[in-house]
Amino acid sequence: MNVLKIIITFTKVDIINTLKVNRKLPLKQFVKFPIWIYRGHVDCLKGFVKIDNDRITTGMIRLGLKTSGMCGAHNGINLDIKGGVIFKGPGYMGNNSVIECGANGVITFGKNFGITGLFRIASRRRITIGDNFSSSWNVGVYDTDFHNMVKTDTNQTLEGNKKVEIGDDCWLCQNVTVLKGTVLPRRTTVSCMSLVNKDFKEENTILAGLPAKIVKRNTTREEFINFEKQPIDNIIKYLCL
């Protein structure tokens, strides 16, 4: 991306909230403005934001930009970070999305994540997402029940938070919900309208249903095969965002 194109693109960015988020980074990263916020609303930034990558470039992570009319007409993202958010590399999250991280929660995004929009992610423990993650619209990922549940016969408090792990090259289709305790191996595809709440072991599968189960084996998205043959350096540049 040449300098002129960066300047034109940057005029669409929420300057104030971009500054707020990048201020959480070390100075040598901050000066490059690697994270761009589009029409952001920041509820809290008491936690940490980290980019765990040796190659830092301007605008390598873009949060809240409109990529599809399916997610509304305007840019926008809501951030509530009391715990921590870690980015392993470039990626984008579309408009009308929310990142919420409680004081004890940590969310990690692998490199080259691509999220259409209307995405909700909330952590009270730990959510880890692998490389080349792909998400359609109206998807939710949660490692918490948000409220404690109690067994009335024993007065036992049930575990309300369990970590979520999503492997490399996973694709969540529209209207998918991922709940606490979920483990998705590499190259898992979750079909639209599905709910996932289990630890799956088998790679290269398609899951579907409420709750989801394996409906097809030895199947993955074509792009993931192509990325293995010809790895991309930066999904932002690859998609010309």
Side-chain angles (χ1 to χ4, degrees), residues 14-28:
D14 181 339
I15 303 295
I16 300 300
N17 284 313
T18 292
L19 281 168
K20 287 180 180 179
V21 173
N22 283 277
R23 268 176 47 189
K24 308 296 291 185
L25 302 172
L27 180 60
K28 65 180 181 180

Side-chain angles (χ1 to χ4, degrees), residues 1-3 5-7 9 36 58 62 236-237 240-241:
M1 182 183 290
N2 57 43
V3 175
K5 188 173 182 181
I6 289 178
I7 293 172
T9 303
W36 287 5
T58 301
R62 305 192 183 185
I236 300 296
K237 294 180 180 179
C240 300
L241 293 177

Side-chain angles (χ1 to χ4, degrees), residues 114-216:
I115 298 169
T116 303
L118 285 169
F119 183 77
R120 308 288 189 268
I121 187 166
S123 175
R124 298 294 183 271
R125 179 167 289 181
R126 181 172 291 274
I127 298 174
T128 303
I129 297 174
D131 296 343
N132 304 322
F133 173 70
S134 181
S135 173
S136 296
W137 57 89
N138 201 31
V139 167
V141 180
Y142 315 105
D143 68 2
T144 178
D145 291 333
F146 294 98
H147 302 281
N148 291 329
M149 301 296 291
V150 177
K151 287 182 63 66
T152 56
D153 55 345
T154 64
N155 205 34
Q156 175 191 3
T157 300
L158 302 178
E159 177 61 63
N161 305 324
K162 293 182 181 179
K163 66 180 180 179
V164 170
E165 297 181 7
I166 298 175
D168 294 344
D169 302 332
C170 285
W171 177 24
L172 307 183
C173 298
Q174 62 267 31
N175 299 301
V176 162
T177 300
V178 176
L179 297 181
K180 67 175 188 181
T182 295
V183 177
L184 299 180
R186 176 174 173 266
R187 290 184 177 172
T188 299
T189 299
V190 183
S191 300
C192 64
M193 304 296 291
S194 297
L195 182 149
V196 191
N197 61 354
K198 298 177 182 177
D199 182 344
F200 291 88
K201 307 294 185 184
E202 194 172 341
E203 297 183 357
N204 296 296
T205 64
I206 297 178
L207 309 180
L210 295 165
K213 62 181 181 180
I214 295 175
V215 296
K216 188 172 289 188

